[in-house]
Amino acid sequence: MLPQRMAQQTLRRLAVQNPAYRFAIPTAAVASTNAFRLQRRLVATQSVSPEEATESILAKQRLVRPVAPHLSIYKPQITWYLSALERVTGCFLSAGFYVFGTLYLAAPMLGLHMESAVMAASFATWPLLIKFPLKAFVAWLFTFHGFNSLRHLVWDTASAIQNGTVNKTGWTVVGLSVASALGLAML
Amino acid sequence: MAALRTTVLRQVLAAPTQRTLVTSAMPMRFAAQKLAQRPAFSLQRAAFQTSARRSILPPLPQKVRGNVNDAAQIPDVDPTHGSYHWTAERIISVGLIPLTVAPFAAGSLSPLLDGTLCGLIILHTYLGFSSVITDYLPKWRVPLMRKLFDFANFLAVFVVGWGFYEFETNDVGITEAIKRIWTA
C-alpha cells in the first residue's frame, strides 16, 4: 500500500509541476479523474426535523410546481367552445332567475316593486336602443342553452359523437340560436 | 522503470475518485432559501413567453397533510353520487323541454304547469350550480369556500323556491310575466 501511495503522490506533484504530462494521456481520462485538480470539500449540513421538512421545504417547493396554463393557450374549437358556452349561458340564466326570485321575496322589506305590471310598465319606457340588444342577448342565452342542450342529451345516449357530426350540429346550433334570438328580440 | 511508471500512472488514472458526494460551498439552508425565492418560472422560459402569463389555478399557501407516500383518497362508491345523480339530471333536463316549448306553442301555461316549470328550473339550477362548485372549488384546495358555496346553493333552493311560490300565488305566473315584459 505504502509504495503505491508514495508513487501516486509523486506523480501528482510531478503533474502539478509539469503539466506536459497531460498530453501523454487521453483527455477523457483526465476529465474523469481528479488527479490534477485541487479538490474542494466545503460541506455544510444541518439536521431538519420531519415536521420542519414538510412545513418549510416541501410546502415551499409545492408553490413552485408547474401550474396548468390558462385556456387561452388552447386552439379555439367548436367542440369545447360550445361546451363551455352551455355552462356559461346556463349560469347567466339561472343567476337572473335566482336574483329575480330572491328580490321578489325581499321586495316588501326593501321597498322595491317587483310586480309584473310595474316591471312591464317601467321596461316599456326604456329606449329601443337599450331594449333591443338586451332582449336579443337574453333571448340568445335562452335559445343557445336550449338548442345546445339537445345536443348534450343526444350525446348522453352515445350517438352523434363523431368529429364531423359534432362540428356540423355545433354550427347548426350557433346559426339557429342567433337567428331565433334575433327573431324573439323583434317580438 | 518506464514500464513501471506507465503501470502506476494507469492505476492512478483508473482508481475511482473518492469524491462521489459532490458538494458545493453553499450550505443547505441557503440553498433552500434560494430555491424558495426563485421565481416560479425561470428566465429561460420567460424568454419564450410573449404575452402575460396567467395561470388558471395558481397554488394557494400549501399545507402538507400526511406524507408523500400516503395513498390517494378514493371516495366511497355510492349510486346517489353517481348513476342516480346522473339520471336525475337527465330526467329534469328532458322534462324541461316540453315545459319550455309549450308556452311558445299554446301561450301561457296553466298555474300548475307554470309552477312545475319554476320548480324544475330551480332543481336544474341547483344541480348545475353544484357541478360548477364541485369543478372550480375542490375540497382539497379551498375546503372552507367549498362548504360555504355548497351551503349557499342548498339554501338558495328554498329562498328562491319561496320567492317563486309568492310570485306564482300573488302575480300572473312566470311565463305570462315574461310575455308581458317582453312585449312591453
Side-chain angles (χ1 to χ4, degrees):
Chain A
M1 188 62 209
L2 193 64
Q4 203 181 3
R5 186 157 178 79
M6 278 174 69
Q8 193 178 344
Q9 277 181 351
T10 313
L11 217 99
R12 278 194 184 162
R13 261 184 228 123
L14 262 172
V16 173
Q17 285 163 8
N18 188 3
Y21 261 84
R22 265 190 233 165
F23 304 111
I25 51 174
T27 327
V30 172
S32 66
T33 60
N34 295 305
F36 307 114
R37 283 187 216 151
L38 197 64
Q39 290 193 10
R40 286 190 309 157
R41 285 175 183 270
L42 301 167
V43 182
T45 59
Q46 69 172 23
S47 57
V48 180
S49 69
E51 294 79 38
E52 218 184 325
T54 51
E55 273 163 35
S56 60
I57 301 173
L58 183 58
K60 274 180 191 157
Q61 181 57 30
R62 283 187 177 181
L63 285 179
V64 296
R65 281 193 298 199
V67 176
H70 214 287
L71 296 176
S72 53
I73 72 149
Y74 299 108
K75 181 186 172 190
Q77 282 172 309
I78 192 83
T79 45
W80 69 271
Y81 254 54
L82 295 201
S83 180
L85 273 178
E86 176 78 359
R87 176 169 274 191
V88 171
T89 52
C91 282
F92 268 100
L93 287 169
S94 287
F97 189 77
Y98 268 35
V99 166
F100 177 75
T102 315
L103 276 184
Y104 187 80
L105 189 66
M109 282 168 276
L110 299 173
L112 292 171
H113 280 281
M114 302 293 290
E115 295 87 2
S116 61
V118 177
M119 285 178 71
S122 58
F123 190 65
T125 61
W126 290 17
L128 195 70
L129 212 64
I130 297 174
K131 253 164 61 172
F132 183 78
L134 186 69
K135 274 161 78 174
F137 177 65
V138 173
W140 178 76
L141 292 176
F142 171 73
T143 55
F144 179 83
H145 193 81
F147 285 128
N148 202 40
S149 72
L150 298 178
R151 289 169 80 219
H152 279 271
L153 287 170
V154 169
W155 292 334
D156 289 340
T157 66
S159 34
I161 39 176
Q162 294 76 24
N163 273 337
T165 324
V166 170
N167 276 340
K168 244 181 260 166
T169 55
W171 285 111
T172 310
V173 161
V174 170
L176 260 179
S177 64
V178 170
S180 56
L182 286 174
L184 283 174
M186 282 178 212
L187 285 178
Chain B
M1 190 60 200
L4 177 72
R5 202 180 288 159
T6 44
T7 316
V8 171
L9 185 68
R10 222 175 268 147
Q11 273 176 359
V12 166
L13 292 172
T17 172
Q18 294 294 307
R19 234 180 119 220
T20 45
L21 260 174
V22 178
T23 47
S24 71
M26 191 186 285
M28 186 66 182
R29 188 154 44 91
F30 295 130
Q33 274 178 6
K34 213 179 166 193
L35 197 68
Q37 288 162 0
R38 195 181 59 176
F41 304 98
S42 62
L43 287 169
Q44 280 176 324
R45 281 185 63 182
F48 289 106
Q49 189 92 26
T50 50
S51 57
R53 184 178 189 92
R54 290 185 308 138
S55 296
I56 191 160
L57 283 171
L60 299 174
Q62 298 288 310
K63 176 95 184 101
V64 181
R65 288 181 206 83
N67 68 64
V68 289
N69 293 322
D70 287 346
Q73 296 262 318
I74 299 168
D76 292 333
V77 178
D78 188 350
T80 46
H81 297 153
S83 57
Y84 295 171
H85 180 263
W86 191 87
T87 312
E89 275 181 343
R90 307 306 123 164
I91 289 172
I92 292 167
S93 305
V94 171
L96 274 169
I97 297 171
L99 285 172
T100 38
V101 173
F104 291 104
S108 293
L109 293 169
S110 74
L112 193 68
L113 281 177
D114 207 66
T116 312
L117 176 65
C118 283
L120 281 187
I121 289 175
I122 290 169
L123 288 179
H124 188 69
T125 300
Y126 170 73
L127 290 172
F129 278 174
S130 61
S131 302
V132 172
I133 292 166
T134 309
D135 284 355
Y136 304 138
L137 300 174
K139 255 184 209 157
W140 55 266
R141 191 168 184 268
V142 277
L144 198 71
M145 287 297 267
R146 170 65 173 275
K147 254 186 200 156
L148 204 78
F149 272 80
D150 272 341
F151 176 72
N153 191 26
F154 186 69
L155 187 71
V157 171
F158 298 98
V159 172
V160 176
W162 183 13
F164 276 101
Y165 171 76
E166 294 287 336
F167 186 76
E168 294 289 315
T169 39
N170 301 324
D171 215 305
V172 289
I174 191 76
T175 35
E176 182 63 30
I178 290 173
K179 190 179 160 191
R180 287 186 189 180
I181 295 167
W182 201 265
T183 52

